[in-house]
Structures are given as C-alpha cells and as structure tokens.
Amino acid sequence: MRRIPRDRRAAGRLVEGAGRLIRDGASHVQRRRLLGCGAPGLTALVSRSSMVIARLLGCALAAATLASCSDPDSIIETRYGAYEGDAYPDRRPEITIPDGGMGVVTDSLSDTISLIALATGERFGVRPVGRDPVTIDGPRRVAVDAAGGALYIALSYPSLDEATGPHAVHGGSAVAGYVQKLALDDLRMLGQVRVEANPGDIAISEDGGRVVVSHFDLRRALENPEDLEAARSSIAVVDPGAVLPRGSAEPTLIPVCKAAHGIALSRPDGARAYVACYGDDALAIVDLTDPDAEVKLVPVGPPLSAGDHASSYGPYAVVMSPDQKTIAVSNTESREVRFFDVASGMFDESRTILTIGAPYVGAWTADGSVLYVPTQVPDTIARIGMTPDDSDAFSRNISGECLRPHLASLDEEHGLFIVCEGDRTVTPGKVLRLDPETLETRSEAEVGLYPDAFARVAAGAR
C-alpha cells in the first residue's frame, strides 16, 4: 500500500472541509480564511470546487423552475352592451305610509328623518337627509305640502363656537342655511335654495304657494348691540315652484327683528306672517304681499328688566288657533304663554297663562277648546282649557320618560305626540304618544339625536 505523505493528507482533509463549508453556505469571510491557509495550490482546488458546486446548484434551480411551470389559464373575454339608464340612478326605497298616516321627525344632529306610524307611535323608518355626507347639516324644521307631494326641511348648521340662549347650537352659526325640497314618496331631493344663517322655523301656506323661513340669528343680534338694523334677522319667502336642483330663484328676504323664530301664517294664502321675535320681546306682523311694507312689532308685554338675559320674555314659538282669531305665544324666559288677539292687534293680558317650566311649541285641538304646551325644566306637558266651560289647566311631569320636551302635535284620532330632544349630544331623542285627555303615555319611540320637529302626513298622500 502506498502511503500518502502527511502534508498531502492534511491538504486533502482541508479541501474536503472547504467543500463542505461552501456547500453549506460558508460566508465570504470563512472562504477567505480557508483560501488564506493550507498547502500551496489549495486556492485553486477550492476555486474549482466552488465552480462545480455553483454549476450543480444552477442546474438544480433551473430544473425546479421548469417543474413548477404549467400552462397559463385561458383568457376569458367578456363584452358588455352599452349602458342604458341614468348616470346616478335613484335607488331609494319608496315610503309606504301606514294606515292612519305618519309623522315626520327631523333629527338635527343625526342628519336623518325618522318616520313614525301615527296609529301605533312606532318608528317604521329612518332616512338620511342633508347636503354633505360628512359634516352635520342640521335638519331642523319641516313643513309638508301633501298636495304637491313634497316636504321642505330647513338645514341649520350648528355653531362651531360657544353661544348663549336657548338652542344656541342653532342660533350661533355663521354658515348659511338651506331649504331642501324632498319628494314625499322616497325623500329624494327635488331642489334646494340657500337662505341666511341659522334658519329657525319653516312654514308653508295652506294653498302651497309660499314657503317662509325665519332666522334665529342670535349671533347677529349679539354682535350688533348698538345697531338695530344690523342686528335684525330676516324671514325668507321662497317660491316652491322655483326650488330646483340647480339655479333656484333667490328667496325674498325681509328684515324683521332680532332673533326671529316661530312663524304662523294666515290661511289660506299665507299673505301675513306672525313671527316670534326673541330678541325684541315682540310679535312681528309682516305683509308678505309687499316686501317693502313696514313690519309692525307688537310688544308681548310691559317692559321688564332683562337681567342677565338678552330679553325679558323671550318669545320663541307661535301657534295660531284653528279659527285664526288667536295666536298663542310661548315665552321661554318669563315662562308664560301669552295670547294675541288678531282682530284688535293686541295681547289680551287677562288670558296669560303662567307655566311651571319654559314653554315651547304647543298644539291646539281642532275646535280650539284646548291648548297643549310642553315645558322644559321641569319637563312637563300641560293641558290648558280655552273655553268658559273648560278653563282648567293641569300638567303631568314626564321627566322620567322624556328629556326636554320641545314640541306637541295633536292627531285627533291617534293621540298627542311629544318630541323629546334628549341631551342634544349623544343620547337619542324620543317621540311619546299620549292620551289627549289624561296625558298618560300610550307608546314611545326612540329617534335620532336632537329631534326638533314633527309634521303629520295623511295616509295615501303622494
């Protein structure tokens, strides 16, 4: 047997070790160390081994790649015909008005409208409204034109800074409001028109010929304490037929008084408007047939010290009796309801009713014999007899069921509906349905945030 010299055996072992390191992924530094030591010629041996291993690895990789390849999927080509239809089709579901009719509730901080079945008091639908899907549009008040198949909502954008007075979230904004005309069958938008900041109330004449909007502009009144003309807010008179998706006719603006709010229109044509002037402690009488006619302001009562408030009485809401002879004015600061006699053009002091809380939007019975008035702090509903045979007044505390009752609406057949504002931030509001005689609760329905208005629509209206 031929013996291999010791140095050659060592060199062989070194080459085998180098090969294993190369195959196992030796680092660049390890390779250099191997190449830098050992017998002469080791560098060449390692280099040849690396080349062989690299070639083997390349072949293996190519084989694996070829094995993983397969035939590509066949190309499927689909051809469509030309689109026929509207670019932005209306996919709103149609509203089916329940038997007995429905109530339309504006949820001002949810940008929705809640639909209430009058027969049961249950909410059977909710629809988004407004102009901007991101910001709060503040749908505040609503007026229904059943014959015209439309309803009108006033968008009053909330204030971004702090303001004072009732409903300051509505009265302190600098953003122009809007009136939107919505189809009664599915609430799609039929048109819109811009008005001034802080829309307060909205009313439509009985014949559907005029839509009138007040502006509860507390901001304007507070910023111009010494300039009466600059402090006055206006009412906007809108032609319903001129409210279009684009290019609506500008409304007629009539300066009225400071912080105008509640509106009552003469019937049937709405030729005269009676407007609650919160900042002037007065009732304004406005001739809508002549925008240049002088506006008459009738003080709601004798002068009083306003104290820390901008007004002494704070007339906020007005409701006309069915015979158009009397207008009930709710005064939130003095906590009383005062009655204006249309024929004499004066308030009847003898009929003034003191309320336990701040009174808001009331409702008459069809025959004018009873007036219902919701109050806040405490939260109650009052029933006030208005005839010699029924002159009693009593109230029920509903604070356990209704936070901040704001508006009453009477349906003679199905009950007295009360809109409850809630906490005006995160707690949803409610609509209560009460017995008109006993004021006991028949049913209740949760609605959106900060509900403000309620308008009744008869079954079958379109």
Side-chain angles (χ1 to χ4, degrees):
M1 177 181 296
R2 184 181 177 185
R3 299 187 62 184
I4 301 175
R6 182 179 300 175
D7 57 345
R8 291 182 62 185
R9 291 199 301 271
R13 287 195 298 271
L14 187 59
V15 170
E16 291 175 358
R20 285 196 299 272
L21 284 175
I22 292 173
R23 287 195 305 272
D24 295 339
S27 67
H28 180 68
V29 174
Q30 290 173 321
R31 292 184 184 186
R32 290 192 61 183
R33 287 177 179 174
L34 287 170
L35 296 175
C37 62
L42 179 60
T43 300
L45 288 172
V46 172
S47 297
R48 286 194 295 272
S49 298
S50 297
M51 292 175 62
V52 171
I53 292 171
R55 289 176 180 173
L56 290 173
L57 289 176
C59 292
L61 179 60
T65 302
L66 290 173
S68 64
C69 293
S70 60
D71 295 336
D73 294 336
S74 59
I75 298 175
I76 300 175
E77 181 177 345
T78 302
R79 296 186 178 184
Y80 297 94
Y83 175 74
E84 295 181 0
D86 297 331
Y88 301 98
D90 177 25
R91 295 190 174 95
R92 291 173 177 261
E94 185 176 350
I95 296 172
T96 301
I97 301 177
D99 293 339
M102 71 176 180
V104 178
V105 180
T106 52
D107 305 316
S108 64
L109 290 187
S110 295
D111 279 358
T112 56
I113 281 181
S114 293
L115 305 176
I116 304 293
L118 297 181
T120 63
E122 298 177 347
R123 183 169 79 160
F124 70 90
V126 58
R127 299 293 177 88
V129 293
R131 303 180 66 249
D132 191 328
V134 178
T135 61
I136 297 297
D137 291 289
R140 186 165 184 225
R141 304 291 289 173
V142 60
V144 175
D145 178 15
L151 59 84
Y152 297 84
I153 58 173
L155 303 182
S156 184
Y157 293 87
S159 173
L160 299 180
D161 54 9
E162 186 176 356
T164 59
H167 288 253
V169 68
H170 294 300
S173 179
V175 181
Y178 276 82
V179 170
Q180 285 195 321
K181 181 179 181 180
L182 308 179
L184 200 54
D185 59 358
D186 62 2
L187 299 188
R188 68 186 182 280
M189 193 190 74
L190 301 176
Q192 61 183 355
V193 61
R194 188 169 69 175
V195 292
E196 294 189 318
N198 304 299
D201 198 5
I202 186 169
I204 188 168
S205 59
E206 190 176 67
D207 65 1
R210 287 188 177 93
V211 171
V212 183
V213 182
S214 66
H215 297 93
F216 189 56
D217 202 340
L218 288 171
R219 185 188 190 101
R220 177 181 292 185
L222 294 173
E223 290 179 349
N224 299 279
E226 305 300 328
D227 189 342
L228 178 59
E229 294 301 321
R232 286 179 177 171
S233 64
S234 67
I235 60 172
V237 183
V238 178
D239 177 4
V243 180
L244 308 173
R246 293 181 179 83
S248 297
E250 293 291 327
T252 300
L253 298 177
I254 303 176
V256 176
C257 59
K258 291 185 289 186
H261 195 265
I263 302 172
L265 298 180
S266 61
R267 295 187 286 268
D269 60 356
R272 186 176 293 106
Y274 299 89
V275 185
C277 297
Y278 177 86
D280 284 315
D281 283 335
L283 179 70
I285 304 174
V286 187
D287 183 357
L288 299 184
T289 65
D290 182 5
D292 296 324
E294 182 181 358
V295 174
K296 183 179 181 181
L297 296 183
V298 181
V300 297
L304 298 174
S305 173
D308 295 332
H309 299 284
S311 60
S312 302
Y313 295 93
Y316 183 81
V318 295
V319 188
M320 179 181 284
S321 63
D323 61 8
Q324 302 193 65
K325 294 181 179 180
T326 305
I327 296 174
V329 181
S330 297
N331 300 280
T332 58
E333 299 296 342
S334 60
R335 298 193 170 199
E336 59 189 15
V337 179
R338 290 177 168 262
F339 297 90
F340 178 78
D341 181 72
V342 174
S344 66
M346 299 175 61
F347 279 89
D348 186 347
E349 293 284 340
S350 67
R351 301 178 68 186
T352 299
I353 301 292
L354 299 179
T355 56
I356 190 172
Y360 281 85
V361 186
W364 294 88
T365 54
D367 60 3
S369 63
V370 175
L371 177 68
Y372 299 95
V373 180
T375 73
Q376 295 183 10
V377 194
D379 297 338
T380 72
I381 177 65
R383 180 189 184 278
I384 304 170
M386 300 300 297
T387 66
D389 296 333
D390 182 8
S391 59
D392 293 337
F394 71 94
S395 64
R396 176 180 170 235
N397 190 308
I398 55 176
S399 58
E401 306 168 70
C402 177
L403 179 59
R404 295 192 179 100
H406 179 76
L407 177 145
S409 178
L410 177 65
D411 184 89
E412 298 280 352
E413 182 180 358
H414 300 110
L416 177 66
F417 293 84
I418 308 296
V419 175
C420 312
E421 296 175 347
D423 64 6
R424 304 175 182 172
T425 52
V426 296
T427 302
K430 289 182 180 180
V431 174
L432 301 186
R433 185 171 64 104
L434 309 182
D435 184 294
E437 293 299 324
T438 67
L439 303 184
E440 292 300 317
T441 302
R442 292 178 175 174
S443 63
E444 67 176 49
E446 186 176 282
V447 290
L449 294 177
Y450 205 166
D452 195 89
F454 187 100
R456 289 177 291 122
V457 181
R462 279 292 182 270

